[in-house]
């Protein structure tokens, strides 16, 4: 797999065209709800977004038995 990290969509599209389906391509970095459609339109096979976990609130879960 080739990861395209922090690339603008026009560069991602060029990379996808160069790879031409021979290797799966993943887009990562600066992926938000606002940018995901443009990234998907480049033809990448996978999109990963850290914003799903970076912004998630913490939950205090304890496994202690008293």
């Amino acid at each position: 797999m080739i990861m395209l990290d922090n690339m603008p969509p026009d560069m991602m599209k060029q990379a996808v065209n160069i790879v031409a389906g021979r290797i799966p391509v993943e887009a990562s970095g600066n992926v938000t709800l606002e940018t995901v459609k443009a990234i998907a339109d480049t033809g990448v096979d996978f999109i990963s977004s850290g914003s799903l976990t970076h912004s998630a609130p913490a939950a205090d879960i304890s496994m202690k038995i008293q």
Side-chain angles (χ1 to χ4, degrees):
M1 181 178 294
I2 296 175
M3 180 176 287
L4 309 177
D5 191 26
N6 293 310
M7 278 187 183
D10 58 328
M11 285 184 73
M12 286 183 193
K13 180 107 175 120
Q14 289 176 355
V16 168
N17 289 337
I18 291 168
V19 171
R22 295 183 295 248
I23 301 170
V25 179
E26 177 180 357
S28 180
N30 295 321
V31 178
T32 65
L33 289 175
E34 292 77 27
T35 62
V36 72
K37 171 80 167 93
I39 292 170
D41 289 343
T42 67
V44 295
D45 300 296
F46 301 94
I47 301 173
S48 60
S49 175
S51 67
L52 296 172
T53 56
H54 295 191
S55 304
D60 186 8
I61 300 173
S62 175
M63 298 298 288
K64 293 180 185 176
I65 299 175
Q66 297 183 11

